[in-house]
Amino acid sequence: MVPENDVKQKKKNKKKKAKAEEGKVQPEDAITRDMDQAPPVEKEYNQKLTHTNGDIDADFVADKIHSKEKEKKKKRKKNKKQESSADANAEQTVTDKNGSSAEVEEKAEVKPFQVRSFPNGLVIEELEMGKPDGKKASPGKKVSVHYIGKLKKNGKIFDSNIGRAPFKFRLGVGQVIKGWDVGVNGMRVGDKRRLTIPPAMGYGARGAGGDIPPNSWLIFDVELVDVS
């Protein structure tokens, strides 16, 4: 026979245990409560995420993660594409501007940076400077030049040694026309000049064969190659 005190004690323990159980929150209750309190979109996600027994659906989670990564990749690709397009447009604009500028410069004639005119009509135009310490052409020196000769009247080329050996002569001793003796004097190696020569300092009234008619004004583009 069980003592009465033991029976009462057991009943008290059962009541305590029952109260304790009532205070506990079951996992299923916790999940349900969280889902009820969550926003509509998140609640739907939570409902899909869990089974009635509270287990996580691993496949569903993997699909969600994959979808998010896919969206991120699409955004990155879109941003890169937009950046590339912007860079291409900018580069095209720069290229067009440079191209137009280069085309204009190519078509434009070289402009002299210094012009000297003489009373008799001789004009010496400085087109390009060589080295400041280059050898200088002076009377009595032997000079080597490249040149192109044109008629001022129509621009027709009557003589040129471009692509061939330089033309050599002694400066200031009458080996060439007077316009050259004056026009080449003072040049340094690498200098380029344009000489506009009147008939009196060129071939005069007699001209020079069929290429240079009598009383022709001449234009020579001259580059000094060497001085010795």
Side-chain angles (χ1 to χ4, degrees):
M1 187 172 185
V2 180
E4 188 177 349
N5 291 336
D6 291 344
V7 173
K8 288 181 180 180
Q9 186 64 39
K10 284 182 180 181
K11 286 181 179 181
K12 285 182 182 181
N13 290 340
K14 282 182 180 181
K15 286 180 180 180
K16 286 181 181 180
K17 188 175 182 181
K19 286 182 180 181
E21 291 294 333
E22 286 177 4
K24 289 183 179 179
V25 180
Q26 299 300 324
E28 293 83 355
D29 296 335
I31 292 170
T32 305
R33 183 190 62 194
D34 291 341
M35 290 198 316
D36 290 338
Q37 294 176 355
V41 177
E42 188 176 336
K43 186 187 294 183
E44 183 183 354
Y45 178 81
N46 288 336
Q47 287 172 348
K48 290 180 180 178
L49 183 65
T50 59
H51 292 300
T52 53
N53 60 359
D55 294 333
I56 295 176
D57 188 342
D59 292 336
F60 179 74
V61 173
D63 290 342
K64 280 289 181 182
I65 293 172
H66 182 69
S67 298
K68 287 184 179 180
E69 289 297 327
K70 207 170 184 180
E71 287 177 8
K72 286 181 181 178
K73 285 181 181 179
K74 281 183 180 179
K75 286 182 181 178
R76 284 198 294 266
K77 283 183 180 179
K78 187 177 180 181
N79 292 336
K80 283 183 181 179
K81 191 174 181 180
Q82 289 175 347
E83 288 174 3
S84 299
S85 178
D87 291 342
N89 290 336
E91 186 177 351
Q92 184 64 37
T93 302
V94 172
T95 302
D96 290 344
K97 287 181 180 178
N98 289 344
S100 300
S101 176
E103 187 177 352
V104 171
E105 288 178 5
E106 184 177 347
K107 289 181 180 179
E109 192 174 351
V110 178
K111 293 183 179 180
F113 57 87
Q114 185 180 348
V115 180
R116 288 178 288 159
S117 300
F118 296 80
N120 61 3
L122 176 68
V123 178
I124 300 175
E125 301 174 62
E126 303 288 350
L127 301 181
E128 190 174 320
M129 299 297 289
K131 294 181 178 180
D133 58 349
K135 294 180 180 179
K136 187 177 180 180
S138 57
K141 294 286 184 69
K142 193 172 185 179
V143 298
S144 301
V145 298
H146 278 134
Y147 67 90
I148 298 176
K150 306 174 185 178
L151 297 176
K152 183 182 178 182
K153 183 178 180 179
N154 54 21
K156 181 182 177 181
I157 297 175
F158 59 83
D159 194 12
S160 173
N161 73 339
I162 302 299
R164 304 201 305 264
F167 172 62
K168 298 179 181 181
F169 66 97
R170 195 166 295 280
L171 186 65
V173 297
Q175 289 185 353
V176 293
I177 58 176
K178 186 69 175 175
W180 270 43
D181 274 340
V182 176
V184 174
N185 184 34
M187 291 181 73
R188 293 186 182 277
V189 173
D191 285 1
K192 292 182 181 180
R193 286 181 180 178
R194 178 168 293 152
L195 312 176
T196 300
I197 301 174
M201 300 187 74
Y203 296 98
R206 59 187 176 84
D211 294 329
I212 303 175
N215 298 313
S216 293
W217 284 72
L218 310 176
I219 295 177
F220 283 93
D221 286 342
V222 183
E223 177 184 5
L224 185 63
V225 178
D226 192 19
V227 176
S228 59

